[in-house]
């Protein structure tokens, strides 16, 4: 039978002192739900806390069930030497009192703790119902954590920032992430960029592009940054992402050594006719070398209107551009089928005087027209 009136509470508290504690502590939550906050505090204050498992659950229960009556008890506990697990439970219990200044002082103290696990837990404050002042405090807390030396801690903060709906009114976090792009570890710089792009404002694009330009000599960083921007940007992406791609692409296009990266970026945001113009300019500058052609054929295959691009480049006197046009024809046929008109264009490419074009075209093999008849 079930006891709905709290009759089992005395027995549960007694169980906390022996081997039954691991089960009793979890049953205690339901029993406390029907008590007044002051009674909850009185009961939990008397509970044995010799075992860490019990102590941390007792502390965790004080927050949601003890109300304001539990706050003095939690403040008293914060002044004691506590096991790491109990201290983490104390930080979670304080989430019920984010309207108190003393709570934020304790969280800031935890964020500076020598134990990075404790510091990380200080940054897990729930943010769904915070006012402007409290949200600003969370931003300051997370910024401090990003400045710490432990990479594991920073990784946890980055993971949290990527999804956290913080307005960051004073842009504390954004500034810290921008600075963090230059850290030695490439993967950590990528985490920072990911988090920054999710909260980037249009007014911050110029500053971000300038920062990325300054890091361009660090080729590992630059290559990964471009990968991230290409993956997150499309013609339908937010305006700040599209503008970042365009400005960074235009900056990188000025240097022939980074032109393939620039073409990848610009292809994400330009119209098809502008993409054709970019490819023609690259051919004129003799930038469609091996790496350039790999990127050019790739962007031709992935553009929104490959048929339009093919038509713009098919009559070019430059064989490399005709080869790009062939890649666009393949993509167009892959999406819309090998019509008679596309088959005729393929024959034209097969007759091209340049082997670079005709050779590839000879291995583009549309479905045979009589396949269906043969299957019958």
């Amino acid at each position: 039978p079930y006891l709905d009136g709290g009759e089992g509470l005395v027995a549960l508290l007694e169980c906390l002192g022996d081997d039954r504690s691991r089960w009793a502590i979890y049953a205690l939550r339901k029993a406390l739900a029907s008590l007044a906050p002051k009674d909850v505090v009185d009961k939990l204050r008397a509970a044995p806390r010799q075992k860490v498992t019990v102590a941390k659950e007792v502390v965790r229960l004080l927050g949601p069930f003890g109300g304001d009556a539990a706050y003095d008890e939690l403040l008293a506990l914060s002044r004691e030497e506590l096991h790491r697990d109990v201290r983490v439970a104390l930080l979670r219990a304080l989430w019920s009192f984010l309207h108190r200044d003393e709570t934020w002082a304790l969280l800031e103290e935890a964020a500076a703790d020598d134990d990075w696990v404790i510091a990380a837990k200080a940054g897990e404050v729930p943010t769904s119902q915070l006012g402007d002042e409290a949200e600003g405090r969370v931003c300051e807390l997370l910024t401090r954590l990003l400045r710490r030396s432990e990479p594991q801690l920073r990784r946890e903060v980055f993971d949290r920032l990527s999804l956290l709906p913080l307005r960051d009114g004073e842009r504390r976090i954004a500034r810290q992430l921008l600075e963090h792009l230059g850290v030695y570890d490439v993967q950590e710089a990528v985490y920072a960029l990911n988090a920054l792009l999710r909260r980037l404002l249009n007014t911050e694009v110029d500053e971000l592009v300038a920062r990325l330009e300054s890091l361009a000599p660090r080729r590992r960083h630059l290559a990964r940054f471009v990968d991230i921007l290409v993956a997150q940007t499309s013609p339908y992406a937010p305006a700040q992402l599209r503008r970042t791609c365009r400005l960074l692409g235009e900056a990188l296009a000025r240097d022939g050594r980074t032109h393939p990266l620039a073409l990848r970026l610009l292809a994400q945001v330009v119209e098809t006719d502008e993409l054709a113009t970019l490819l023609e300019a690259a051919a004129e500058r003799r930038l469609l070398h091996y790496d350039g052609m790999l990127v050019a054929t790739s962007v031709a295959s992935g553009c929104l209107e490959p048929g339009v691009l093919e038509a713009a480049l098919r009559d070019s006197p430059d064989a490399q551009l005709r080869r790009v046009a062939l890649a666009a024809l393949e993509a167009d046929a892959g999406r819309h089928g090998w019509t008679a008109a596309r088959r005729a264009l393929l024959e034209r490419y097969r007759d091209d005087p340049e082997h670079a074009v005709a050779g590839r075209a000879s291995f583009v093999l549309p479905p045979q027209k009589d396949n269906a008849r043969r299957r019958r």
Side-chain angles (χ1 to χ4, degrees):
Y2 292 94
L3 301 175
D4 296 329
E7 297 91 338
L9 187 56
V10 174
L12 287 173
L13 291 170
E14 181 181 335
C15 291
L16 295 179
D18 56 40
D19 292 339
R20 297 170 293 178
S21 61
R22 67 183 66 182
W23 296 286
I25 190 61
Y26 296 110
L28 190 61
R29 174 177 290 269
K30 184 177 290 187
L32 292 175
S34 60
L35 297 183
K38 186 178 184 308
D39 293 334
V40 169
V41 174
D42 290 340
K43 298 294 184 184
L44 292 178
R45 186 182 289 125
R49 302 180 191 174
Q50 292 81 5
K51 296 183 178 181
V52 172
T53 304
V54 175
K56 70 177 184 180
E57 291 302 326
V58 166
V59 172
R60 188 175 294 171
L61 290 171
L62 277 169
F65 294 115
D68 289 339
Y71 194 58
D72 289 340
E73 185 74 13
L74 293 173
L75 292 179
L77 282 171
S78 70
R79 292 188 283 271
E80 299 180 10
E81 288 291 329
L82 302 174
H83 185 277
R84 174 199 273 178
D85 291 350
V86 180
R87 190 163 180 78
V88 168
L90 174 62
L91 293 175
R92 291 179 64 89
L94 289 172
W95 292 353
S96 300
F97 305 97
L98 294 176
H99 57 288
R100 308 286 287 268
D101 289 338
E102 297 95 327
T103 297
W104 290 101
L106 291 174
L107 291 172
E108 290 166 4
E109 180 183 329
D113 198 283
D114 292 338
D115 185 342
W116 73 266
V117 174
I118 297 294
K121 295 303 177 183
E124 292 183 1
V125 177
T127 61
S128 58
Q129 297 181 342
L130 294 181
D132 291 343
E133 182 181 355
E135 187 181 88
R137 284 174 155 171
V138 172
C139 292
E140 179 60 30
L141 203 63
L142 293 174
T143 301
R144 290 185 185 182
L145 294 179
L146 285 175
R147 293 175 184 151
R148 289 186 54 130
S149 61
E150 300 90 346
Q152 305 99 315
L153 169 59
R154 296 195 301 269
R155 170 65 189 274
E156 290 197 13
V157 177
F158 285 131
D159 288 344
R160 183 162 164 73
L161 283 176
S162 294
L163 301 173
L164 204 59
L166 282 173
R167 287 164 292 180
D168 190 17
E170 297 186 17
R171 309 309 289 166
R172 295 186 183 95
I173 294 175
R175 288 195 301 271
Q176 183 59 41
L177 291 173
L178 191 68
E179 179 182 339
H180 218 87
L181 296 179
V183 296
Y184 176 79
D185 185 84
V186 178
Q187 189 57 48
E188 189 167 331
V190 166
Y191 293 145
L193 181 60
N194 263 320
L196 180 57
L197 291 178
R198 282 172 170 77
R199 59 191 67 250
L200 183 67
L201 300 179
N202 205 37
T203 54
E204 298 168 334
V205 169
D206 290 338
E207 190 176 4
L208 171 58
V209 171
R211 177 66 167 152
L212 294 174
E213 277 192 77
S214 73
L215 295 170
R218 300 166 68 170
R219 295 309 206 206
R220 287 190 178 89
H221 284 66
L222 180 62
R224 293 298 304 279
F225 290 158
V226 170
D227 286 343
I228 294 299
L229 285 167
V230 169
Q232 296 194 21
T233 309
S234 73
Y236 311 108
Q240 61 268 27
L241 290 184
R242 299 198 309 273
R243 188 160 167 260
T244 300
C245 264
R246 177 176 279 278
L247 292 180
L248 182 60
E250 290 172 351
L252 296 179
R254 292 192 286 269
D255 185 343
R257 295 169 298 179
T258 56
H259 188 273
L261 296 180
L263 188 56
R264 289 182 63 202
L265 290 168
L266 292 171
Q268 297 299 105
V269 296
V270 300
E271 299 291 340
T272 306
D273 56 348
E274 187 177 354
L275 177 58
T277 301
L278 289 172
L279 290 167
E280 290 167 346
E284 187 176 345
R285 293 172 61 192
R286 301 180 63 185
L287 294 174
L288 294 183
H289 43 66
Y290 177 78
D291 293 327
M293 283 298 292
L294 286 178
V295 173
T297 53
S298 175
V299 300
S301 300
C303 73
L304 290 179
E305 300 174 302
V308 175
L309 183 63
E310 187 276 333
L313 299 179
R314 73 167 71 125
D315 294 322
S316 172
D318 190 299
Q320 291 175 313
L321 291 176
R322 298 197 301 276
R323 174 65 183 85
V324 175
L326 174 60
L329 175 65
E330 291 183 70
D332 194 35
R335 298 179 197 180
H336 306 294
W338 281 100
T339 62
R342 293 191 185 97
R343 289 174 185 270
L345 285 172
L346 178 59
E347 290 302 322
R348 177 177 171 176
Y349 287 112
R350 286 174 174 174
D351 293 334
D352 195 280
E354 291 290 340
H355 294 315
V357 180
R360 171 58 194 168
S362 70
F363 285 95
V364 177
L365 306 173
Q368 294 182 356
K369 295 179 180 179
D370 58 351
N371 271 354
R373 188 180 304 114
R374 289 181 180 180
R375 282 197 294 270
R376 291 183 192 142

